[in-house]
Structures are given as structure tokens and as C-alpha cells.
Amino acid sequence: MKQPFPFSAIVGQDEMKQAMILTAIEPALSGVLVFGDRGTGKSTAVRALAALLPPIRQVEGCPVNSARAAECPDWAEVGSTRLVKRPTPVVDLPLGVTEDRVTGALDIERALTRGEKAFQPGLLARANRGYLYIDEVNLLEDHIVDLLLDVAQSGENVVEREGLSIRHPARFVLVGSGNPEEGELRPQLLDRFGLSVEVTSPTDVDQRIEVLRRRDAYEHDNDAFMKTWRPRDGTLRKRIEAARTALPSVATPEQGLRDCAELCVALGADGLRGELTLLRAARALAAFDGQDEVGRSHLRAVAPSALRHRLRRDPLDEAGSTARVARTLGDVFGPYQTAAE
């Protein structure tokens, strides 16, 4: 089976790659929404992320990927307490999926063959401690959206039907992709994505040629291509692991907190989730850069992805949300400086 396209080999799309790396460092960012034209590497990046992420340690055979035997739910009937390493789960949630498939339901086979009432875990169980990926997320059915909102809020999946009463942890990073021409996302779900990025087809001819060159090499000389790029993914994985370790010790000066609040007030962002996301993303980026303190350069780098999808529409302002964030950054922080801020 051919391995996923290497994350490091993706040409351009720097903001998308940065957002995905930040969620790997700080899962509390909740998720990434990637909107853009077809054929811009959205799905490729998600598949590549799965191969890039550091592995997790879980109890062998636990259907919810528990890190300790005591955390495995009783219904799982896991006999082993041995911990094993496995790739970070990245689970696809397809359009048209049924609620039973998402949450889990009665195991019909066991009920018919053994007369036992047992629980068959769903996609939410498999995605615990990992990523849940939804392509064309803006086309997702409303009742599935409502279900995901409930679980994202509580971090727990609750199934109460068919004589079953089941609870299990369901904490995951949500990654959604879609084409804005096919419909907008419901505001309640949009707000659950910590970061939002916009991807477009490259207009630079040399960049497009490089995309073709790498994709052709991946498809027709896969062994040599992977031999070139796999070590680079390995280096990036080590940086992510180092950033995870360093993250708790990254300091946020008082000025950094004030900058977050002033920027969000100036933009008119709804609620306080924007400030919290901006701060978390900036701290993750500082850790990734090997810095021990959040600076304005980090806030500048993550502000568009943390805030563009949280702005109220202004009928008197024809500028897009990205342009509004960039303009407000200049007003609040002053002109961009190349030196460390």
C-alpha cells in the first residue's frame, strides 16, 4: 500500500501547514477549517498529517485509545493492561454517515448469535485522542452537526437508546475542508474550529511546475521520492515533539495578553474564544520556534487563522475578513518589523 504524500513535500500553502502543525502541538486549539478551491491540496495535507504526527501510547485493544487501563470503559472488555504504540488516529467522517455509525450502537451480530446486548463503538470512539476529518464539511447534515457540537463541547460521547446507556471519552481535533461555493458553514460549527485557513491555486508558474514535478515523482518513482522526503518529515516530527514538551513553559508577558484583547476588541470579534485561541496558537508557535516567550511576531503570524472566521459581517466594509485582520494588525501593532518584536 502506497504511503501518504509527505507533509514536508507539499508545495506552498504555508498557512494551512502551519495551522495543522499548531494543532499537533496544542490540541486545545480544537480544530482547523480549510476552505478553498478544489485541487488545492486540502485532502492531501490531512492524509500527510496522519503520517507526520507522533505516535500515541494506548492500552492494547482499547477501542477508545485510552492511555491507562483504568480509563478503558467497562463495556470494552479489554483484558490487557499492556501499553502499545500506534499512529495517532485520523478518522474520516463521510458525508451521508448515519448517527449510529458516528456514535456507535447495539452490536447486532452479538445480539443475534449470542443473545447478548453489547455496544459497537462508532467513529467518535476511534477518533478519541486523534483527529476527525470531514471533507465537504459545509454539506454535512444538520443532525450530525448538532451531534458533533454536543460532543465537542463535553468531550464525551453519550449513547442512550436500544436499552444501552453508554459513555466514553471523545476528545479529538476536528479538521474540516470544503469549497465555499458549495455553501456556508453553520455559525455554531464554524465557531468550534480554532483555526481557519483559506487556500487558493498558486498563480506562480514555477510553483505550479514544482507541484507537478513532486506529484509525478510520488506516483512514478515512489521509493526514491519517499527516500528523499521521509527524513524531512522525521525532522519535522521531532520539532513537534520538542514543542509539545516545551509548551507548558512558554511564558506570556502582560503585554501579550493586552495585545490579544486589544486586537479582538478592535476587530469586533464575538465572545472571548478569539482571544483564547489567539493566545494558544501564539504560544504553540513560540514553542515550535524554540522561543520561551510569546512575542508580537507570533501573534501576527497566527492572527489571521485564529480570527478571520470570528468577525461580524460589516455591510459598509467590502474588504474580506483576511484583509480586515491584516489592516487591524497594522492599526494596533503598527507597521510590520522584520526584527524580533
Side-chain angles (χ1 to χ4, degrees):
M1 183 177 177
K2 187 179 290 187
Q3 298 180 60
F5 192 86
F7 192 86
S8 301
I10 296 173
V11 179
Q13 310 299 11
D14 294 334
E15 188 185 25
M16 175 176 65
K17 291 188 289 187
Q18 174 182 275
M20 291 185 176
I21 288 171
L22 294 182
T23 63
I25 297 169
E26 174 53 284
L29 285 170
S30 300
V32 182
L33 178 64
V34 185
F35 255 42
D37 304 330
R38 298 184 187 88
T40 48
K42 301 186 296 293
S43 297
T44 297
V46 175
R47 311 293 177 212
L49 180 69
L52 173 71
L53 292 170
I56 62 171
R57 293 180 66 84
Q58 70 157 84
V59 177
E60 185 178 27
C62 179
V64 296
N65 312 318
S66 297
R68 295 191 295 270
E71 297 173 353
C72 290
D74 295 337
W75 53 263
E77 300 179 357
V78 177
S80 174
T81 59
R82 187 167 72 98
L83 294 180
V84 294
K85 274 189 176 183
R86 59 159 293 191
T88 297
V90 178
V91 178
D92 284 319
L93 193 153
L95 293 179
V97 67
T98 64
E99 184 174 336
D100 285 356
R101 183 75 183 95
V102 177
T103 62
L106 180 69
D107 188 331
I108 301 299
E109 182 179 351
R110 286 183 62 176
L112 293 176
T113 59
R114 306 186 203 173
E116 298 175 353
K117 187 180 291 184
F119 180 63
Q120 178 66 47
L123 297 177
L124 295 180
R126 289 174 48 200
N128 187 44
R129 299 181 65 206
Y131 284 70
L132 185 67
Y133 173 53
I134 312 170
D135 195 10
E136 306 296 348
V137 63
N138 45 327
L139 302 181
L140 200 62
E141 295 182 20
D142 285 348
H143 72 284
I144 299 297
V145 170
D146 293 336
L147 190 157
L148 290 176
L149 288 172
D150 289 342
V151 175
Q153 176 69 28
S154 65
E156 185 178 51
N157 180 38
V158 180
V159 181
E160 300 276 0
R161 63 174 180 273
E162 298 168 340
L164 294 173
S165 180
I166 298 292
R167 293 173 180 266
H168 69 75
R171 299 187 181 278
F172 47 81
V173 176
L174 196 60
V175 179
S177 65
N179 185 339
E181 295 178 357
E182 296 175 349
E184 295 184 350
L185 207 59
R186 282 176 55 183
Q188 298 94 328
L189 184 57
L190 182 65
D191 193 49
R192 286 297 164 190
F193 288 95
L195 305 175
S196 172
V197 299
E198 298 171 352
V199 294
T200 59
S201 301
T203 56
D204 180 76
V205 171
D206 290 336
Q207 191 175 65
R208 294 176 80 105
I209 290 173
E210 186 61 24
V211 172
L212 293 174
R213 181 181 293 116
R214 294 185 189 181
R215 191 70 200 189
D216 185 65
Y218 171 72
E219 293 176 354
H220 295 102
D221 193 6
N222 187 262
D223 290 343
F225 183 78
M226 296 302 296
K227 186 175 181 180
T228 298
W229 289 99
R230 191 181 294 116
R232 304 188 194 191
D233 265 11
T235 299
L236 183 54
R237 184 182 302 111
K238 290 178 181 178
R239 284 190 67 187
I240 291 172
E241 291 175 329
R244 285 178 171 179
T245 301
L247 183 63
S249 62
V250 174
T252 306
E254 184 67 24
Q255 184 59 48
L257 299 177
R258 182 169 295 276
D259 285 341
C260 288
E262 288 182 350
L263 181 59
C264 290
V265 168
L267 283 166
D270 290 326
L272 295 175
R273 193 167 282 146
E275 280 100 323
L276 293 171
T277 301
L278 179 61
L279 179 60
R280 287 168 178 159
R283 293 181 73 239
L285 182 59
F288 186 67
D289 289 342
Q291 304 295 313
D292 56 9
E293 184 177 278
V294 172
R296 277 190 170 177
S297 61
H298 303 119
L299 293 172
R300 283 186 188 271
V302 301
S305 57
L307 300 176
R308 63 160 59 91
H309 58 305
R310 306 182 192 279
L311 306 187
R312 299 189 189 100
R313 290 182 177 176
D314 185 351
L316 301 179
D317 191 344
E318 296 182 357
S321 58
T322 302
R324 288 171 61 191
V325 173
R327 185 178 62 208
T328 307
L329 278 169
D331 293 341
V332 176
F333 291 172
Y336 180 77
Q337 302 173 7
T338 55
E341 294 178 290

